[in-house]
């Protein structure tokens, strides 16, 4: 009897930790699929994290492989996981390099915003408790969502991404990924965001950048380009207020005059293109583009959301 009860408990927990497709969430000009996770644990002040996958991935790949789904179930975190369709992009990349998909009220960006609005209406999550993260193409798209809808997000995590506005086509998108796009200074990169944001003047989302130094697909140079972009948007120095070597990764933080950290950079030495996990520590499961770097990326994300 106890064994049966135990198996039923495991079954209910496994069932609870599933992404569910949501239909009829609102306007969907980008033809994306909406996946959602609602935790069983009810918090007094719940959070929503929007998670954008990379190329050749789906929503389940990134949240399961990274350990984010287990963390969300444990911490009571709501997840919204937009999923790209092969009809939009053969490699299932979000079209971060196409202005028609990254500008406010257009294409894929508008679809993601409709999903967020639907989720807030259904859950009662406060509008100031919404964060967004992405890996690779999803990270590049995250930067563009911050620019297109800056009032929507309080925090953002950009893992192995590129700055918003770097590319306007697939062709120069490859140059951006390789770190060889035409040289731009921090002000120019910040201007890309401000132009997309229109009349918005702040407060801007706090940003955490995660990147491996041996990334063979999205060159590590892009981590500094993102630091330049978002420190300029926040109007703070792009020299770190603090740098720390934490063994398996290095961290730099960039703060305003009051000492409040607005941009955080996590560098993982020798990591290739992927989202970091720590399998031995029980964080995540290695798979394509989810790499055992002895760094629990899901925990980094959760700690950042709490700060």
């Amino acid at each position: 009897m106890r064994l049966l009860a135990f198996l039923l408990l495991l079954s209910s927990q496994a069932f609870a930790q599933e992404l569910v497709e949501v239909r009829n969430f609102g306007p969907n000009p980008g033809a994306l699929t909406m996946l959602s996770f609602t935790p069983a644990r009810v918090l007094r002040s719940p959070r929503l994290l929007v998670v954008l996958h990379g190329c050749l991935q789906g929503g389940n790949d990134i949240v399961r492989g990274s350990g984010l789904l287990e963390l969300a179930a444990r911490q009571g975190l709501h997840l919204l996981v937009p999923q790209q369709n092969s009809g939009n992009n053969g490699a299932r990349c979000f079209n971060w390099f196409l202005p028609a998909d990254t500008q406010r009220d257009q294409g894929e960006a508008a679809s993601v915003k409709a999903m967020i609005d639907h989720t807030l209406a259904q859950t009662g999550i406060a509008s100031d408790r919404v964060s967004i993260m992405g890996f690779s193409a999803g990270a590049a798209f995250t930067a563009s969502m911050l620019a297109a809808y800056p009032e929507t997000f309080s925090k953002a995590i950009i893992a192995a991404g590129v700055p918003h506005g770097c590319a306007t086509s697939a062709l120069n998108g490859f140059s951006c990924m390789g770190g060889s796009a035409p040289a731009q200074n921090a002000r120019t990169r910040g201007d890309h965001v401000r132009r997309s944001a229109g009349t918005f003047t702040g407060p801007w989302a706090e940003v955490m950048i995660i990147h491996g130094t041996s990334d063979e697909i999205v060159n590590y140079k892009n981590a500094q380009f993102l630091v330049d972009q978002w420190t300029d948007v926040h109007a703070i120095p792009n020299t770190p207020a603090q740098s720390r070597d934490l063994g398996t990764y290095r961290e730099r933080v960039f703060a305003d005059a009051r000492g409040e950290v607005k941009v955080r950079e996590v560098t993982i030495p020798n990591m290739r293109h992927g989202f970091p996990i720590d399998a031995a520590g029980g964080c995540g499961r290695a798979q394509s583009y989810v790499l055992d770097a002895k760094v629990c990326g899901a925990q980094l994300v959760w700690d950042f959301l709490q700060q």
Side-chain angles (χ1 to χ4, degrees), residues 34-256:
M34 177 179 175
L35 303 175
S36 179
F37 172 73
T38 302
R41 184 183 177 197
V42 179
L43 301 183
R44 181 177 301 176
S45 183
R47 294 179 181 274
L48 174 65
L49 178 63
V50 182
V51 183
L52 299 170
H53 62 79
C55 300
L56 303 176
Q57 289 182 322
N60 271 294
D61 296 324
I62 187 64
V63 299
R64 286 189 177 282
S66 66
L68 278 168
L69 189 57
E70 292 178 5
L71 181 142
R74 187 169 65 248
Q75 300 292 358
L77 177 65
H78 292 252
L79 299 179
L80 164 59
V81 188
Q83 183 169 269
Q84 182 61 285
N85 297 305
S86 57
N88 295 337
N89 184 294
R92 301 196 306 279
C93 311
F94 289 99
N95 287 310
W96 59 271
F97 45 81
L98 297 180
D101 276 310
T102 58
Q103 297 299 316
R104 189 181 186 95
D105 299 331
Q106 294 187 44
E108 293 170 14
S111 292
V112 174
K113 181 59 164 61
M115 295 178 192
I116 295 170
D117 292 342
H118 177 83
T119 302
L120 298 187
Q122 293 295 311
T123 62
I125 295 173
S127 60
D128 63 352
R129 303 279 287 177
V130 180
S131 300
I132 187 169
M133 68 161 286
F135 162 68
S136 192
F141 202 79
T142 291
S144 291
M145 286 298 296
L146 290 184
Y149 298 100
E151 75 284 3
T152 301
F153 307 103
S154 60
K155 291 177 182 278
I157 301 95
I158 302 173
V162 303
H164 170 68
C166 181
T168 56
S169 70
L171 185 61
N172 58 17
F174 285 109
S175 297
C176 293
M177 291 162 59
S180 60
Q184 297 182 12
N185 58 31
R187 183 54 184 266
T188 301
R189 296 187 192 280
D191 284 344
H192 289 312
V193 175
R194 285 182 285 268
R195 277 194 296 272
S196 293
T199 59
F200 183 80
T201 58
W204 298 91
E206 297 173 25
V207 175
M208 179 166 71
I209 299 152
I210 303 173
H211 217 122
T213 62
S214 297
D215 194 319
E216 75 283 15
I217 295 177
V218 180
N219 193 283
Y220 174 57
K221 293 177 184 178
N222 282 290
Q224 183 61 53
F225 298 159
L226 282 160
V227 166
D228 292 343
Q229 181 168 74
W230 291 100
T231 53
D232 185 78
V233 169
H234 278 283
I236 61 175
N238 67 347
T239 53
Q242 183 183 45
S243 299
R244 299 190 297 168
D245 187 337
L246 296 169
T248 53
Y249 67 92
R250 300 191 298 267
E251 179 186 69
R252 298 193 300 166
V253 298
F254 303 82
D256 63 16

Side-chain angles (χ1 to χ4, degrees), residues 65-67 275-279 283-286 290-297:
S66 66
F275 188 85
I277 63 168
D278 180 10
C283 169
R285 286 167 285 186
V290 177
L291 305 180
D292 193 352
K294 298 181 174 58
V295 177
C296 182

Side-chain angles (χ1 to χ4, degrees), residues 266-289:
V266 172
T267 294
I268 304 176
N270 304 316
M271 188 177 79
R272 299 179 68 186
H273 188 64
F275 188 85
I277 63 168
D278 180 10
C283 169
R285 286 167 285 186
Q287 59 187 44
S288 296
Y289 306 121

